Amino acid sequence: MTVAVVQFGGSNCDRDTVQALSALGIDAELVWHEDGLPADVSGIVIPGGFSYGDYLRAGAMAARSPIMEDVRSAADAGTPVLGICNGAQIGCEASLTPGAFTTNESARFQCEHVHLRVENADTPWTRRYDEGEVLELPIAHGEGRYEIDDARLDALEADDRVLFRYCDADGEVTPEANPNGSKHSVAGVTGERDHVAVLMPHPERVTLADIGGTDGQALLRAFAE
Amino acid sequence: MTAFTATVEVRLKRGVLDPEAETTARALERLGFELEGLRSADRFEVDMEADSAGDARERATEMAERLLANPTIHDYDVTVEERDE
């Protein structure tokens, strides 16, 4: 059983993700998108990067590549799927998750640490955290502003499908703590079923104490279950 | 079959923030221009052979639905013209 970290041309967090999972004792391997998913796949990560050079829209091309049909089938069969950063953009473009991640309010690429508040601690991704817990994770994106129409956002919130919101160090969700103008400060959401999730911040970059923190560990441990 | 060019114009829905357009508008103002607002759009010109203008429009509309536009944030227009070869 292995976690497939799907590599597109332009992915650049793929190796970090394999390293992070391996450091947590989770078997993981790089899977080139043209090769299809391994038969014994136990989980799927769509990693960060700039697949297809962000042509057309970030994630638009990768979302329509053949391997995404395999990802969709695996997700339908219950395999956990996590999209991180460009993987989150791909997940939304592929309609695995609702909404879209588009140009930051600043119209700039932003690379910084942010705080996230755990909104729903009853999902495979967040059950090792407490509801309301504040995490510190890095972001690195130019198109991370979560956009969705108001009615669908209301429905998402009513169904408890918002995983994380940007907040300040005390856990307060404020406009100042929202780094990219995301609607309702949404940083991550689940699909219709909660074993499919996407987020813009990078949990794989905070899994080793030696290089900046461990707040992302508990999220990635979902793949150990 | 007739040669057509289908033009698909994709723009953000009204009410969706467009930071690039706002930055562009500010840059125009810095250059001394007066303006009330600015919207940007992507324009795709697709050359194709089709039985009729209606068929060409249908195909271009499906292209917009499936790839060129993201229905979460975009509206689009399709126009079709015969093309001289």
Side-chain angles (χ1 to χ4, degrees), chain B residues 27-61:
Chain B
L28 286 170
E29 284 168 346
R30 271 200 302 277
L31 291 172
F33 292 103
E34 290 180 19
L35 63 155
E36 293 295 311
L38 181 150
R39 288 164 296 285
S40 63
D42 288 325
R43 175 187 166 103
F44 303 88
E45 296 176 358
V46 188
D47 297 339
M48 59 173 82
E49 298 278 329
D51 288 335
S52 67
D55 286 352
R57 171 183 298 278
E58 196 175 317
R59 205 184 307 166
T61 300

Side-chain angles (χ1 to χ4, degrees), chain A residues 9 43-44 49 75 101 142 148 176 185 191 213 218 224:
Chain A
I44 299 165
F101 291 101
I148 188 169
E176 296 73 30
S185 296

Side-chain angles (χ1 to χ4, degrees), chain A residues 22-135:
Chain A
S22 302
L24 298 174
I26 299 163
D27 189 40
E29 64 181 80
L30 295 174
V31 173
W32 178 242
H33 70 99
E34 288 179 342
D35 295 342
L37 294 174
D40 63 341
V41 70
S42 60
I44 299 165
V45 179
I46 311 170
F50 299 87
S51 56
Y52 298 89
D54 282 351
Y55 289 174
L56 193 62
R57 299 178 298 276
M61 298 297 168
R64 289 153 181 87
S65 63
I67 197 170
M68 290 305 293
E69 285 308 312
D70 298 347
V71 172
R72 194 184 311 277
S73 303
D76 288 346
T79 306
V81 177
L82 179 66
I84 303 169
C85 196
N86 188 224
Q89 296 160 339
I90 294 168
C92 283
E93 279 281 343
S95 298
L96 289 172
T97 47
F101 291 101
T102 187
T103 312
N104 291 349
E105 192 173 19
S106 66
R108 290 192 173 90
F109 189 90
Q110 288 172 246
C111 188
E112 60 200 57
H113 277 239
V114 298
H115 292 99
L116 299 179
R117 190 173 76 190
V118 178
E119 297 292 302
N120 176 358
D122 186 24
T123 77
W125 313 102
T126 51
R127 65 171 58 114
R128 284 155 236 85
Y129 301 109
D130 296 321
E131 190 171 314
E133 188 174 340
V134 177
L135 315 178

Side-chain angles (χ1 to χ4, degrees), chain A residues 131-147:
Chain A
E131 190 171 314
E133 188 174 340
V134 177
L135 315 178
E136 186 180 332
L137 268 70
I139 56 166
H141 59 241
E143 287 91 12
R145 175 169 58 94
Y146 190 65
E147 190 60 64

Side-chain angles (χ1 to χ4, degrees), chain A residues 57 88-89 92-93 97-105 143-154 156 166 178 180-189 198 200, chain B residues 12-19 22 70-74:
Chain A
R57 299 178 298 276
Q89 296 160 339
C92 283
E93 279 281 343
T97 47
F101 291 101
T102 187
T103 312
N104 291 349
E105 192 173 19
E143 287 91 12
R145 175 169 58 94
Y146 190 65
E147 190 60 64
I148 188 169
D149 70 57
D150 293 341
R152 289 172 74 207
L153 183 53
D154 286 348
L156 266 187
Y166 299 107
N178 183 349
N180 52 26
S182 286
K183 241 183 190 177
H184 291 198
S185 296
V186 170
V189 295
V198 299
M200 287 309 296
Chain B
L12 286 171
K13 287 180 176 171
R14 286 284 178 158
V16 174
L17 185 70
D18 187 347
E22 286 183 14
N70 178 337
T72 300
I73 52 174
H74 290 136

Side-chain angles (χ1 to χ4, degrees), chain B residues 74-85:
Chain B
H74 290 136
D75 288 326
Y76 63 86
D77 289 322
V78 177
T79 53
V80 171
E81 278 183 24
E82 272 192 48
R83 170 167 48 96
D84 296 326
E85 284 187 298

